[in-house]
Every structure is written in C-alpha cells, then in structure tokens.
C-alpha cells in the first residue's frame, strides 16, 4: 500500500521570515494529520523553516544540491551542509534545473547517487516538453530520464527514491495533464522501474504528479491507480491553496 505523498516546491519564493511565518501556519493547520507532506524552501530560508516546524511531521527538503560534497565550487550547497542542518530530502532534476541551468541526465544521476550515498531521500523529477509529447517521444524521453537518472541505484536504495512525473508543458502554465494521461505516464514509469528492478520495487515506488495541481483537480488525479502524490509549485505558496491539496481525501 503506497502512502500518499504531497510536496510543495517553493522555487525562488519566500524570504526566511516569510517562509517561517508560512510554515508555522501550515504546521498548525496540519496538526493531527497523518498525510506525508514535504515543503522545499530556498536554501537560505531552510533554517528558519526548520525552526518554525519543529515538533511537526512536515518534511523540509532542498530544491537542489551540488554534485560534490565540498571544495572550490562557488555558489554551491552540499549534501553535508544540508544534513548538518537536519535536511535529509532533496528534489533533483526539476525541469527548471534541466532547462534553465542545463542539467543533463548524467549530471542529475551523479547527484542522485551522491544524495543516496549520504543517506538522503531523493525526489527525482522527470517529464517531457510539449514539443517532445507532440512528436510522439513521451516514452523515449521518460525511458532516458528514468534509466540514466537511476543508473547505479540499487534495489535497496529505491526505498529512498520518489519519482515526480512533471510534464514540462503543465508546470506553472495552468494546464494540467488529464488524470488519464498522467496515469498512463505513471504506469509507463512503473513498468520501466519493474524492468530495471523487480515488481516489488515498482509496486512500492511513490510516483507524484506535478504540473498545475490545485484544489480543484487534485481529487481526480489522486483517484488514479498509479498517481500516489503531487509535487506542487504555485499552489504550495499559500496555506489556503495548499491545505485542500494536502487534505484531498477529506
Ligand atoms: C513544480 O514546480 O514542480 C510545479 C509542478 O509547479 P506548478 O504546480 O506551479 O505547475
């Protein structure tokens, strides 16, 4: 039985004081809830958010991390630094990292392996652009991103991996994949993981959908067999919008 997992990616929003105030409100609103919820603030906002959610079940994650542990890498933040703060979860391979900062599947894979070797949990994002979808390349793109992204990851380490299927054309655009389209992509990813590992690993894998998830569409998405959670951008920035998403089953 896969436990629903809802995550909020704040992207480059929320100063430390804004983030702390928001996280405090969210933690209070979620008191007593047993849904698995993660929030991913910008690096500098993380310490204030960690302090604000102390004692709650909220997971505080990073949106990215370096492919190295320390050294001459100006502007980078490492797994060691995150862990020292108490952060054990990281989003890797977000389409904005791929498209804007040129991150390749190989580079993302290096970070995945590093995060896992440091005992962290990884939320690995995959997804096709509109151009790729229209050219009939959905399966080719997902196969490449999943196979290379997970290269060298052991079956045991798969327990620390979540995959977020985020069609790039649906991120921040207000366009959502239909629940059927999303479910088909998720089923394809699950089959791929079964081929790479075992049926058991594939059945346990949490696959989140991301791309303009909101209160009005979360129920329909979450009702699908292979959709186990959501990675939410815009709608994770206010308690009013995020709470109904987290409480989709109420
Ligand atoms: C995201 O940033 O991963 C995302 C899915 O954004 P949005 O919900 O705003 O489309």
């Amino acid at each position: 039985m896969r436990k629903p997992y809802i995550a909020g990616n704040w992207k480059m929003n929320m100063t430390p004081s804004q983030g702390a105030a928001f996280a405090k409100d969210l933690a209070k609103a979620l008191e007593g809830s047993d849904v698995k919820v993660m929030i991913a603030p910008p690096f500098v906002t993380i310490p204030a958010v960690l302090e604000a959610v102390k004692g709650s079940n909220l997971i505080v994650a990073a949106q990215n991390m370096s492919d190295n542990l320390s050294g001459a890498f100006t502007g980078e933040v490492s797994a060691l630094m995150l862990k020292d703060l108490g952060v054990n979860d990281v989003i890797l391979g977000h389409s904005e990292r791929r498209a804007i900062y040129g991150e390749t599947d190989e580079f993302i894979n290096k970070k995945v392996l590093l995060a896992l070797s440091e005992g962290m949990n990884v939320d690995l994002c995959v997804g096709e652009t509109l151009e790729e979808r229209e050219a009939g390349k959905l399966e080719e793109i997902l196969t490449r991103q999943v196979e290379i992204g997970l290269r060298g990851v052991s079956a045991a380490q798969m327990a620390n991996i979540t995959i977020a299927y985020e069609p790039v054309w649906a991120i921040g655009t207000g366009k959502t994949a239909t629940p059927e389209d999303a479910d088909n992509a998720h089923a394809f990813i699950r089959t791929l993981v079964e081929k790479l590992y075992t049926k058991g690993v594939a059945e346990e894998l949490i696959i989140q959908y991301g791309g303009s998830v909101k209160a009005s569409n979360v129920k329909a998405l979450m009702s699908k067999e292979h959709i186990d959670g959501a990675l939410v951008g815009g709608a994770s920035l206010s308690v009013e919008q995020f709470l109904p998403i987290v409480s989709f089953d109420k």
Side-chain angles (χ1 to χ4, degrees):
M1 185 64 184
R2 299 186 293 267
K3 186 179 163 75
Y5 183 20
I6 310 289
N9 172 17
W10 293 3
K11 311 194 184 190
M12 200 172 70
N13 297 292
M14 302 265 200
T15 62
S17 51
Q18 290 168 337
F22 172 78
K24 210 177 207 134
D25 288 349
L26 183 65
K28 196 167 180 351
L30 288 175
E31 252 167 25
S33 155
D34 69 341
V35 182
K36 185 174 174 185
V37 182
M38 173 256 263
I39 49 177
F43 289 129
V44 295
T45 299
I46 288 177
V49 168
L50 282 170
E51 184 59 33
V53 305
K54 234 181 212 161
S56 80
N57 292 330
L58 269 170
I59 297 166
V60 179
Q63 299 171 17
N64 183 30
M65 61 167 229
S66 171
D67 60 321
N68 286 283
L69 283 183
S70 65
F73 302 100
T74 302
E76 291 291 285
V77 170
S78 82
L80 291 181
M81 295 165 187
L82 293 170
K83 286 197 327 178
D84 192 63
L85 281 179
V87 172
N88 294 306
D89 294 73
V90 62
I91 297 171
L92 294 174
H94 190 279
S95 69
E96 286 151 18
R97 300 297 318 170
R98 293 175 188 264
I100 305 171
Y101 300 100
E103 294 198 7
T104 62
D105 290 305
E106 288 75 11
F107 185 63
I108 293 160
N109 173 246
K110 190 177 172 205
K111 297 196 212 191
V112 168
L113 295 178
L114 186 60
L116 292 173
S117 73
E118 287 302 311
M120 297 178 76
N121 302 307
V122 172
D123 201 338
L124 173 65
C125 302
V126 298
E128 81 290 0
T129 62
L130 187 58
E131 217 173 33
E132 289 162 344
R133 173 171 277 256
E134 286 176 346
K137 292 186 173 166
L138 171 66
E139 296 190 351
E140 182 192 322
I141 297 298
L142 292 181
T143 302
R144 193 195 73 215
Q145 292 178 342
V146 170
E147 280 186 0
I148 302 178
L150 295 178
R151 194 172 279 164
V153 174
S154 71
Q157 286 174 321
M158 283 301 289
N160 299 96
I161 295 276
T162 296
I163 290 184
Y165 168 63
E166 301 205 299
V168 179
W169 48 271
I171 297 179
T173 58
K175 288 183 199 153
T176 320
T178 64
E180 292 68 31
D181 281 347
D183 195 47
N184 287 340
H186 285 219
F188 180 76
I189 292 170
R190 208 176 295 288
T191 306
L192 260 178
V193 168
E194 182 176 338
K195 281 185 200 146
L196 292 172
Y197 297 93
T198 61
K199 196 172 174 56
V201 167
E203 276 172 1
E204 291 292 311
L205 178 70
I206 298 292
I207 308 178
Q208 298 169 325
Y209 168 78
S212 300
V213 174
K214 31 191 185 294
S216 58
N217 58 26
V218 67
K219 237 189 184 107
L221 288 161
M222 290 298 292
S223 69
K224 291 293 174 189
E225 183 185 350
H226 295 284
I227 302 182
D228 312 312
L231 179 52
V232 186
S236 73
L237 295 171
S238 86
V239 175
E240 295 70 37
Q241 290 185 59
F242 195 48
L243 201 56
I245 295 175
V246 170
S247 324
F248 68 91
D249 57 345
K250 300 284 178 306

